Amino acid sequence: MNSMRSFMMPFAAVVSLVLSPGIFLRAQEPVFNRAPLAATQYAELPLGAVRAEGWLLDQLERQRDGLTGHLDSLYAPVVGDNNAWLGGDGDTWERGPYWIDGLLPLAYILDDKVLIDKALKWVHAMLDSAREDGYFGNATDHPFVAGLQRNRSHDWWPKMVALKILQQYYMATGDRRALDTMAGYFRYQAVHLDAEPLDHWTKWGMWRGGDNLDMILWLYSVAGDPSLLDLAKKVHAQTFDWTGVFLRGAQLHTQNSIHCVNLGQGFKEPVVWWQLSQDPEALRAPEKALEVIRTTIGLPTGLWAGDELIHFGDPARGSELCTAVEMMYSLEEMLRITGNLRWADQLERVAFNALPTQATDAYDARQYYQQTNQIACTREPRSFVTEHYGTDNVFGLLNGYPCCTCNMHQGWPKFTRNLWMATRDGGLAALYYAPCRVETAVSGHRIVVREETDYPFSGDIRLAVDYPDVKLLKGKKAAKMPAVAFPLYVRIPSWCKEAKISVNGEEPVAYGPGETVRLERSWRKGDVVTLHFPMEVITGEWYDRATVVERGPLVYALKMEETWTWKPFLGVDREKYGEGYYAVTSDSPWNYGFSRNVLKNNPFLVEERPVAGYPWNVENAPVRIRAKAVILPYWKAAGGSVGPVPYYTQEGDDTAGTAEIELIPYGCTTLRIAEFPTRR
């Protein structure tokens, strides 16, 4: 249950959060919903207003130096200069736009000219390709060439990704050509969708129509063209009925019924549609879906088992990387639209657990499927629905399937972009957390709020208010400093039983879980808000009542030593998957479980240390938990994965003594046990 309480302080009139001309090179106003769309409390700030710091900046810089910044050379046959979106006769489908959908926000958040120029080459090609009838992008199909997608150029689906690029480009630059191109294309859709519906060329457009709908409604709020609302109704009618399936369907109870990434992208569609329909069923639908997923296909990382079709959440099954980044985007949009803090909790769960572990530290290789219980990343066929010749869970460039090579890049940049939002009442909101700073304008004053924290490893967060153009004064002179009144919203996570908030060292005020707290005052340079979210170790039950250890937003997993070995692909595999891959193996024992009797006493010893270096690996894990486990000698490996085992037994005893084990955050692991068999 979400609630909102106000932390009352001296208050002057609330001001509108409007960016003043000249303050930023790329300043744009936040876009709030225009009637008759449902009024929303939150809106995205201009792209670039939120900048990463600390470990998050390190993460983005690794993307810049790795695959994200160099994919045009590393994967040149597909996203190089011959790509059809750039005017060549190469790949014409989703993979080029996928890359730019992550590269462009990364470029503007880092303010990196080299990356901006790379992204703009694609944006300008899209703008220049717009025809008089509104169509944009490549319109010519070409014969088959291995490794390329050169047909279906008119397919609605890849254009949905391109629309997201144009929206982000406008929010970074204010270039109205992006709006004109989007408006023209929507006119084209209005004319052609009856004869060529979303599933005309492929089914992907039907499953993923929520992305199309999202951009239509955003442009309506910018431009106010009522014909866009008619188009929105048409697009929704042609989109897969996610609301009906979530509320009344059997698919989430049925294995192999839905593609895993379609579910991640479709998850937001009912909420996006609610903005126009204002049907309460549309808001209930994803909440009901999450409840069902928790006991059927769900994984403790916030995702679900799907490799590539969904199935029950056996921790030896896989989860595709595209699912993580698409579900994050869905949750970000749902949080913005509804303000429902349940989506913030879920977003952090995916971002801080599933996302970091599926790419190398250098961001130079990625894994197609991750396993919750993963004891080796080797080229062995595993029990996946869609199996790519044993390449699915090693780390490489194109192994598994190359969609994730292009789509993985949006995860961290969009997470960063949405760390802070504008509020309709002229304020700022922090609804999930990571080290960063937000810079915007309030009542003509340039304001910076710096978020200093080791979150999610620590529950302490410091928000420092600054006016860069104002000199800090002391003593009596301090009273002469300008004070700007605006509300500052902060979220209390649902897992935090008693949060404490203090302003300028005053007596902390306690708050319960799942609240949005409104801090209302006239803010001066040097004001500091301190958030303290105590993190307790808890256990939960997942697949077959396996035990999962959690602390704050993080799942914890068995620490295993890792040996990384580079291996070349040979022959035809080299042409298909790239030069080679990293295999990851370990000699560490992993066949451990937990005793229910011991768990009753919460036998966990937590060691927390400040973040030092890149935190998402075994060596630098900032938190370690020591626990007492039981040894399961009959639990053996099978085909590179953990073998079948009863994760819960009511009678019998298959243990052989006890051992002390060390747990670290799931996102810091490559090899791990995260779902532990439970014994008496």
Side-chain angles (χ1 to χ4, degrees):
M1 176 178 174
N2 298 321
S3 60
M4 183 179 293
R5 292 165 60 184
S6 292
F7 192 173
M8 299 305 298
M9 293 185 169
F11 174 65
V14 175
V15 298
S16 297
L17 185 66
V18 178
L19 294 168
S20 302
I23 289 182
F24 297 112
L25 179 63
R26 298 181 296 275
Q28 304 303 312
E29 293 185 16
V31 179
F32 292 95
N33 276 1
R34 181 192 297 259
L37 300 184
T40 50
Q41 168 70 356
Y42 304 111
E44 288 180 323
L45 290 163
L47 180 54
V50 182
R51 307 279 190 184
E53 295 193 339
W55 69 257
L56 184 57
L57 177 59
D58 186 4
Q59 179 67 61
L60 297 187
E61 290 175 340
R62 287 167 185 264
Q63 284 195 233
R64 175 198 64 197
D65 299 336
L67 288 177
T68 311
H70 300 278
L71 198 63
D72 49 344
S73 57
L74 296 171
Y75 196 23
V78 169
V79 299
D81 288 342
N82 196 43
N83 188 282
W85 285 89
L86 297 177
D89 63 357
D91 201 273
T92 191
W93 213 49
E94 66 181 3
R95 283 178 280 182
Y98 263 162
W99 174 44
I100 304 304
D101 192 31
L103 176 69
L104 187 143
L106 177 70
Y108 282 103
I109 290 169
L110 292 180
D111 198 19
D112 186 294
K113 186 178 186 305
V114 173
L115 297 190
I116 290 173
D117 287 345
K118 287 190 178 190
L120 290 185
K121 180 166 67 174
W122 288 73
V123 171
H124 292 158
M126 292 176 185
L127 299 177
D128 293 342
S129 70
R131 302 188 318 207
E132 188 173 341
D133 65 354
Y135 183 88
F136 77 101
N138 180 47
T140 304
D141 291 348
H142 298 284
F144 174 78
V145 171
L148 301 181
Q149 295 168 311
R150 304 176 78 217
N151 60 352
R152 303 176 297 187
S153 58
H154 282 78
D155 190 8
W156 302 111
W157 154 238
K159 302 296 192 301
M160 299 180 195
V161 186
L163 291 168
K164 292 193 296 177
I165 294 168
L166 294 178
Q167 185 260 5
Q168 293 181 96
Y169 170 67
Y170 173 76
M171 289 299 290
T173 67
D175 188 343
R176 291 191 59 86
R177 292 180 300 162
L179 304 182
D180 295 339
T181 300
M182 294 175 74
Y185 180 68
F186 291 144
R187 288 194 298 272
Y188 176 88
Q189 280 197 303
V191 171
H192 291 272
L193 275 175
D194 289 332
E196 299 167 344
L198 292 180
D199 63 352
H200 179 74
W201 284 281
T202 69
K203 298 293 184 183
W204 301 111
M206 175 193 72
W207 291 101
R208 302 172 177 182
D211 284 28
N212 201 151
L213 179 64
D214 201 17
M215 292 300 98
I216 293 170
L217 296 182
W218 177 84
L219 185 63
Y220 169 76
S221 290
V222 173
D225 180 355
S227 69
L228 291 170
L229 300 181
D230 294 329
L231 176 62
K233 296 172 184 176
K234 182 176 295 188
V235 167
H236 171 72
Q238 293 185 7
T239 299
F240 181 75
D241 182 14
W242 291 106
T243 298
V245 164
F246 290 166
L247 291 176
R248 295 171 290 276
Q251 285 88 337
L252 297 181
H253 300 271
T254 306
Q255 299 200 96
N256 306 325
S257 60
I258 298 176
H259 187 276
C260 57
V261 183
N262 285 344
L263 178 55
Q265 291 184 273
F267 203 81
K268 65 179 171 292
E269 201 277 346
V271 170
V272 173
W273 171 241
W274 169 81
Q275 295 174 99
L276 181 55
S277 72
Q278 297 175 42
D279 180 357
E281 276 206 337
L283 289 185
R284 287 198 300 270
E287 293 194 353
K288 173 69 179 302
L290 205 60
E291 293 169 5
V292 174
I293 287 170
R294 176 64 176 84
T295 57
T296 56
I297 63 175
L299 300 174
T301 57
L303 297 175
W304 43 84
D307 51 33
E308 296 174 351
L309 302 179
I310 64 170
H311 46 73
F312 301 142
D314 184 338
R317 301 297 292 267
S319 178
E320 185 182 334
L321 177 53
C322 280
T323 305
V325 296
E326 291 294 354
M327 184 59 170
M328 286 176 61
Y329 176 67
S330 285
L331 292 166
E332 288 155 4
E333 289 295 276
M334 294 164 68
L335 179 61
R336 173 185 62 81
I337 292 167
T338 67
N340 186 342
L341 299 188
R342 185 173 191 176
W343 308 131
D345 290 330
Q346 195 73 13
L347 173 61
E348 289 190 345
R349 200 170 184 93
V350 178
F352 296 144
N353 295 291
L355 185 62
T357 186
Q358 219 156 346
T360 58
D361 289 1
Y363 221 80
D364 61 352
R366 94 294 181 267
Q367 184 184 43
Y368 192 56
Y369 300 141
Q370 65 172 284
Q371 297 168 292
T372 308
N373 286 353
Q374 184 167 272
I375 57 170
C377 299
T378 51
R379 192 171 179 188
E380 298 175 72
R382 287 167 167 80
S383 57
F384 300 143
V385 177
T386 307
E387 210 280 327
H388 299 89
Y389 303 98
T391 69
D392 293 297
N393 86 327
V394 298
F395 286 79
L397 179 64
L398 305 175
N399 50 292
Y401 193 74
C403 57
C404 293
T405 302
C406 299
N407 196 21
M408 63 190 283
H409 313 284
Q410 66 170 309
W412 287 119
K414 291 183 181 179
F415 176 86
T416 303
R417 177 187 181 184
N418 290 290
L419 279 165
W420 288 84
M421 295 187 188
T423 63
R424 186 175 288 274
D425 58 4
L428 288 171
L431 301 182
Y432 57 94
Y433 301 103
C436 65
R437 74 180 189 277
V438 58
E439 185 169 357
T440 186
V442 177
S443 190
H445 290 276
R446 187 158 63 106
I447 182 173
V448 172
V449 180
R450 176 165 278 108
E451 184 173 332
E452 300 168 347
T453 183
D454 282 345
Y455 194 90
F457 309 104
S458 167
D460 293 324
I461 301 167
R462 184 177 185 270
L463 307 177
V465 178
D466 187 21
Y467 297 95
D469 301 329
V470 176
K471 183 179 179 181
L472 182 63
L473 301 175
K474 296 182 180 180
K476 295 181 180 180
K477 294 181 179 179
K480 299 180 180 179
M481 290 193 299
V484 180
F486 64 91
L488 184 66
Y489 293 81
V490 295
R491 154 182 160 262
I492 309 301
S494 64
W495 48 260
C496 183
K497 293 181 180 179
E498 186 175 309
K500 292 187 177 179
I501 300 178
S502 175
V503 178
N504 294 336
E506 297 172 0
E507 185 69 22
V509 177
Y511 295 89
E515 298 192 44
T516 303
V517 179
R518 189 176 192 262
L519 308 178
E520 192 172 3
R521 64 178 285 141
S522 294
W523 299 94
R524 295 181 182 275
K525 183 184 182 77
D527 284 346
V528 174
V529 178
T530 302
L531 311 177
H532 178 57
F533 301 148
M535 293 180 171
E536 298 182 12
V537 178
I538 63 172
T539 58
E541 293 183 347
W542 285 80
Y543 179 77
D544 195 27
R545 297 187 68 180
T547 295
V548 171
V549 178
E550 304 174 26
R551 179 177 178 267
L554 299 181
V555 173
Y556 282 75
L558 177 69
K559 177 188 175 184
M560 298 175 62
E561 299 303 321
E562 301 169 0
T563 299
W564 289 68
T565 305
W566 175 258
K567 297 190 175 186
F569 282 119
L570 303 174
V572 175
D573 285 350
R574 189 179 185 89
E575 297 176 11
K576 188 172 184 178
Y577 298 121
E579 293 184 2
Y581 64 93
Y582 292 104
V584 190
T585 57
S586 178
D587 293 328
S588 299
W590 53 265
N591 53 337
Y592 297 111
F594 283 124
S595 163
R596 295 194 294 277
N597 293 329
V598 174
L599 287 176
K600 291 177 183 178
N601 300 317
N602 196 21
F604 300 107
L605 178 63
V606 179
E607 301 175 5
E608 182 181 319
R609 60 187 181 184
V611 171
Y614 183 70
W616 299 111
N617 56 37
V618 171
E619 295 76 20
N620 296 333
V623 185
R624 300 172 187 271
I625 299 176
R626 301 192 183 278
K628 184 179 180 180
V630 294
I631 302 170
L632 303 172
Y634 304 109
W635 192 16
K636 304 290 186 181
S641 298
V642 296
V645 65
Y647 280 89
Y648 181 90
T649 59
Q650 189 168 353
E651 300 293 339
D653 192 356
D654 58 354
T655 66
T658 62
E660 184 181 78
I661 62 173
E662 186 175 343
L663 308 177
I664 60 176
Y666 182 104
C668 300
T669 67
T670 301
L671 306 181
R672 60 188 163 259
I673 299 294
E675 298 194 45
F676 291 86
T678 309
R679 299 295 182 258
R680 292 182 300 166

